Amino acid sequence: MAGVAACLRRAAPRPVRILRGTHWHGARAPPPGCRRQHQISITAGAKRLTIGVDGNLRQFDYAFLRDACTCPQCVDPSTRQKLFQTSDIPLAIKASNVKFTAEGSLAIRWENDVPGYGRAHVSEITPQFLKTYDCLRHRIRSRHNDQRQVLWDRSIMEADVKWIEYEEYMADDVEFFGALLHLSRYGLVFLKGVPDSEQSVEKIGNRIGSLRDTFYGRTWDVKSVLNAKNVAYTPQNLGLHMDLLYFANPPTIQLLHCLRNSVTGGSSVFSDSFHAATRIQLGTPNLFSNLTTFPVTFHYQNAGEHYHYTRPTVELEEYSYRTIRRILNVNWSPPFQAPFEAEIESPRLRAYLSSAKAFSKFVEAPESQFELTLKLGECVIFNNRRVLHARRAFDPSSGERWLKGAYVDGDPFRSRLRVLSERYSRLANEVDAGE
């Protein structure tokens, strides 16, 4: 509504000068270039602005608003990187005057600005920025860090399992986005029609992001070999586990492409650890607390390598707007677990044992496990920090079993998912509505 002024209260010896301007709200069309409509009101204090966004009052510290300035003096237009340090902001900074621009943004001039910035420097804060940062929920969702999770057991996965043609995954961005979206929600997706080549798993992984190079190599072969240095390279039964938990930063995405499989046995098994942990979290909070706090050590000491790391079984989101914090990662890998190192004299060791038994019971229950035999030309992609995988024993004399594997870290996966979510946000909403 044109002519509506910002209402500012004087809260300091030197009052903020009110500059009148225009702002807009839902009763009229937004000015050109504005994506959303918001009602904005402001009240100035000594250290912060109280800003009403669509009727919700939020306090924004002057230091936060100054730090968030994206003008060309503060953020390089080409690199999009800051040109000053947060530590440069004086503690005595405050607004000298504030007005609404014709586009609906707040234009703030500063008293005691960052050294080197003249009195002509103005920070413009958009309505969308204020809406995004008015609460933790909006801040988390603005970065697509709040993807919906589907907790599953065998029956749910049998109904919802997603298979995608290799050519569509590689060439069609919409299909590729669908694969990543499913992977972020279920932690498990499959490809078919993959070319019979050792390089195929590289191409599949690189579509997401750069492959993670480890002491196993950029890619690696899962075959039965004599004198194996890893249980995965034997025909033995390999129980539910996650890979490389003895690393400080285990890879998030794992890929396994089937190049040969003519053996008797050797089926692949998957189980949703988030489902099991959430059941314990809701049903027996005392057992769940042990899973989130008791330190468990993992190691690999063989073939000239010595890796070692200690972490709890369940890691929760550090920043959450939910009453019940969501699970971020699960760490469960019995074949690579080392002797406990912390609290071995404490009664908490036996308390953890009770919790571990409850967790193991859930993930190993037949109704929790999705099982299939990978065929030639099929590839599984799964979240190694969520989905446990296992392999049934097989008879190596009955044929050949050869999988080609690779890892991709979580950061490139989440980056690619964010970019595509921004591009295809309407499609993601349609998927949610359909489900």
Side-chain angles (χ1 to χ4, degrees):
M1 183 181 294
V4 177
C7 179
L8 299 166
R9 295 195 187 99
R10 186 170 66 184
R14 181 177 179 180
V16 172
R17 185 157 57 96
I18 303 173
L19 299 184
R20 295 181 179 274
T22 59
H23 73 288
W24 48 271
H25 58 78
R28 59 173 290 181
C34 294
R35 296 176 58 191
R36 296 187 61 184
Q37 306 172 31
H38 299 293
Q39 296 183 3
I40 307 292
S41 63
I42 55 177
T43 305
K47 294 184 178 180
R48 55 188 60 87
L49 285 179
T50 299
I51 303 178
V53 183
D54 295 342
N56 298 314
L57 294 178
R58 296 289 187 270
Q59 290 191 336
F60 292 89
D61 193 295
Y62 290 133
F64 168 76
L65 294 173
R66 177 61 185 87
D67 190 59
C69 181
T70 59
C71 78
Q73 286 181 270
C74 294
V75 175
D76 186 277
S78 176
T79 66
R80 299 187 181 182
Q81 290 158 10
K82 287 177 70 171
L83 300 174
F84 69 99
Q85 297 182 170
T86 299
S87 57
D88 294 336
I89 301 173
L91 292 175
I93 193 168
K94 58 183 177 181
S96 62
N97 51 61
V98 183
K99 74 171 184 179
F100 289 107
T101 69
E103 292 75 24
S105 297
L106 288 181
I108 307 174
R109 292 184 185 272
W110 301 104
E111 182 177 330
N112 298 318
D113 200 352
V114 172
Y117 287 78
R119 297 172 76 72
H121 174 244
V122 176
S123 298
E124 289 197 10
I125 310 297
T126 67
Q128 183 57 46
F129 179 91
L130 296 173
K131 184 66 176 177
T132 295
Y133 284 87
D134 75 343
C135 69
L136 181 59
R137 178 173 181 265
H138 291 164
R139 294 195 289 273
I140 291 175
R141 291 197 166 187
S142 71
R143 305 300 178 209
H144 303 280
N145 289 341
D146 196 33
Q147 296 287 347
R148 187 170 65 84
Q149 294 176 348
V150 179
L151 306 179
W152 54 268
D153 55 17
R154 182 179 62 193
S155 62
I156 293 173
M157 184 52 66
E158 285 177 347
D160 294 354
V161 61
K162 188 175 185 67
W163 288 90
I164 302 172
E165 289 289 343
Y166 169 84
E167 292 298 337
E168 293 179 349
Y169 171 93
M170 294 299 299
D172 188 326
D173 281 351
V174 173
E175 289 295 329
F176 176 60
F177 173 56
L180 295 193
L181 196 62
H182 197 87
L183 184 58
S184 74
R185 294 177 176 178
Y186 291 81
L188 183 66
V189 70
F190 295 88
L191 303 186
K192 55 185 177 180
V194 180
D196 185 9
S197 167
E198 292 189 51
Q199 284 71 52
S200 290
V201 75
E202 288 191 59
K203 295 177 181 178
I204 296 169
N206 281 325
R207 182 84 159 103
I208 301 172
S210 297
L211 300 189
R212 172 77 173 271
D213 201 350
T214 72
F215 66 87
Y216 292 109
R218 293 184 73 251
T219 64
W220 25 272
D221 298 298
V222 183
K223 292 181 176 181
S224 177
V225 298
L226 294 175
N227 302 316
K229 302 303 181 183
N230 188 308
V231 66
Y233 305 149
T234 74
Q236 302 169 17
N237 183 76
L238 176 56
L240 290 167
H241 68 286
M242 293 161 169
D243 281 14
L244 307 188
L245 295 187
Y246 40 79
F247 279 23
N249 180 31
T252 298
I253 302 301
Q254 182 167 345
L255 307 93
L256 292 170
H257 170 214
C258 181
L259 289 167
R260 301 288 183 273
N261 197 357
S262 57
V263 297
T264 301
S267 59
S268 299
V269 181
F270 303 93
S271 185
D272 185 5
S273 71
F274 282 18
H275 188 200
T278 299
R279 291 175 67 181
I280 297 173
Q281 182 182 29
L282 298 179
T284 50
N286 59 318
L287 294 181
F288 185 74
S289 177
N290 297 326
L291 295 176
T292 62
T293 58
F294 191 82
V296 180
T297 302
F298 301 92
H299 70 162
Y300 179 88
Q301 188 174 1
N302 203 342
E305 306 287 348
H306 188 176
Y307 288 80
H308 178 278
Y309 206 83
T310 299
R311 49 184 18 111
T313 299
V314 175
E315 300 172 28
L316 299 176
E317 290 181 335
E318 186 174 0
Y319 303 105
S320 178
Y321 58 85
R322 293 178 172 85
T323 303
I324 299 176
R325 290 164 64 192
R326 207 161 65 164
I327 295 167
L328 179 64
N329 296 313
V330 167
N331 304 298
W332 185 262
S333 194
F336 299 97
Q337 189 173 318
F340 295 109
E341 294 187 346
E343 303 195 48
I344 59 175
E345 302 89 355
S346 168
R348 292 190 64 219
L349 175 59
R350 285 184 173 266
Y352 171 76
L353 181 58
S354 296
S355 299
K357 285 179 177 291
F359 180 82
S360 178
K361 180 180 179 181
F362 279 129
V363 297
E364 293 178 1
E367 60 271 20
S368 297
Q369 299 182 3
F370 177 70
E371 183 171 352
L372 80 168
T373 299
L374 286 174
K375 300 180 179 65
L376 177 67
E378 296 178 346
C379 178
V380 60
I381 310 173
F382 60 94
N383 184 341
N384 181 58
R385 308 306 307 278
R386 171 182 175 177
V387 175
L388 296 158
H389 64 290
R391 182 202 62 222
R392 304 298 188 202
F394 63 92
D395 180 4
S397 67
S398 63
E400 183 181 10
R401 187 180 189 273
W402 177 18
L403 305 183
K404 195 78 175 179
Y407 301 114
V408 176
D409 280 331
D411 287 325
F413 165 70
R414 287 184 289 270
S415 173
R416 188 58 57 89
L417 181 61
R418 289 187 191 110
V419 169
L420 294 176
S421 293
E422 291 160 2
R423 186 185 304 171
Y424 300 117
S425 57
R426 181 176 298 177
L427 175 62
N429 293 334
E430 289 174 357
V431 170
D432 282 341
E435 294 175 351

